[in-house]
Amino acid sequence: MCSEFDFSAWPLLSRDFFLPSASEVAPKLLGHALVLQNLGGVVGGIIVETEAYLSNDPASHSYRGKTARNASMFGPCGHSYVYFVYGCHFCVNTVCHAEGVGEAVLIRALEISHSDPRTASGPGKICKWLSINRKHDALDLCSAQSSLQIRQNPLLGDFLADRGGIVATSRIGITKAAVEPLRYVLPGSQALSRKLVPLRD
């Protein structure tokens, strides 16, 4: 899948990239890379599916205010928000918007260099594959010293075009505000967590 890419040579995304609302950042994250950096090098995959969660969104963890669990979601932007769900897996998000607002983008699927394109085809699978857990919460995704980073794809235009461009769909896996067109996918990728969900009126 992504064996031709050397993530170690890709630059970090800037802090300003994450400053807009999550609804703007979510589609723009597609095609860039989520990577884990350690003594063994850099491993990761290219983001092919995201979901935005907004401050006024009843499906968002921030909807009822700041808690110990969701504190990192309130900023600063460009940091990670990692939570444990269903008692069985972790999910990783990128924090967006001005500090104190409480918005984030859930990274739902990665395209990776692996024989099985489904290895990271879901938020829980991503964290299992990269061994992401709560110790990775509130990390600076824009820092060269951070173990968890978002890196900029120098061939972004070609990657997006090869996978059919960006498509917005209804969100999945939630019951509140599920009809909102806040899930973004690259439809040509084999790594999507689920097939396209048509937008509902």
Side-chain angles (χ1 to χ4, degrees):
M1 298 281 276
C2 299
S3 58
E4 71 270 28
F5 298 116
D6 177 9
F7 296 130
S8 65
W10 291 17
L12 292 165
L13 284 177
S14 70
R15 182 90 50 215
D16 289 347
F17 180 93
F18 300 96
L19 187 56
S21 170
S23 61
E24 297 179 51
V25 176
K28 292 181 180 179
L29 272 173
L30 296 178
H32 296 301
L34 173 71
V35 304
L36 195 68
Q37 177 179 247
N38 53 41
L39 294 178
V42 177
V43 62
I46 300 182
I47 301 167
V48 293
E49 181 180 347
T50 59
E51 279 182 346
Y53 288 88
L54 312 181
S55 59
N56 61 348
D57 180 354
S60 175
H61 289 177
S62 66
Y63 186 64
R64 297 187 182 279
K66 189 175 181 179
T67 66
R69 180 198 191 204
N70 68 16
S72 60
M73 193 176 180
F74 287 82
C77 70
H79 283 64
S80 61
Y81 168 45
V82 179
Y83 62 86
F84 192 57
V85 66
Y86 303 135
C88 60
H89 63 251
F90 294 94
C91 297
V92 61
N93 302 252
T94 65
V95 177
C96 305
H97 217 309
E99 191 165 358
V101 174
E103 294 196 356
V105 175
L106 173 64
I107 299 177
R108 286 200 56 92
L110 299 180
E111 192 170 302
I112 66 173
S113 176
H114 197 282
S115 58
D116 182 2
R118 308 296 296 167
T119 297
S121 62
K125 289 182 177 181
I126 290 170
C127 290
K128 181 179 180 180
W129 178 62
L130 289 175
S131 298
I132 294 172
N133 54 45
R134 281 288 288 178
K135 76 178 182 181
H136 296 96
D137 182 54
L139 295 183
D140 189 348
L141 301 171
C142 307
S143 170
Q145 284 71 50
S146 178
S147 60
L148 192 64
Q149 303 169 341
I150 303 286
R151 297 199 177 189
Q152 182 178 353
N153 187 345
L155 301 172
L156 180 63
D158 291 342
F159 186 88
L160 296 180
D162 287 347
R163 285 148 186 83
I166 298 170
V167 174
T169 84
S170 302
R171 291 184 293 190
I172 57 179
I174 57 174
T175 56
K176 297 178 180 179
V179 299
E180 298 296 328
L182 294 172
R183 175 183 175 231
Y184 301 91
V185 303
L186 297 180
S189 175
Q190 299 179 49
L192 299 186
S193 67
R194 197 179 300 178
K195 293 181 180 180
L196 295 186
V197 177
L199 293 176
R200 289 173 275 182
D201 296 331

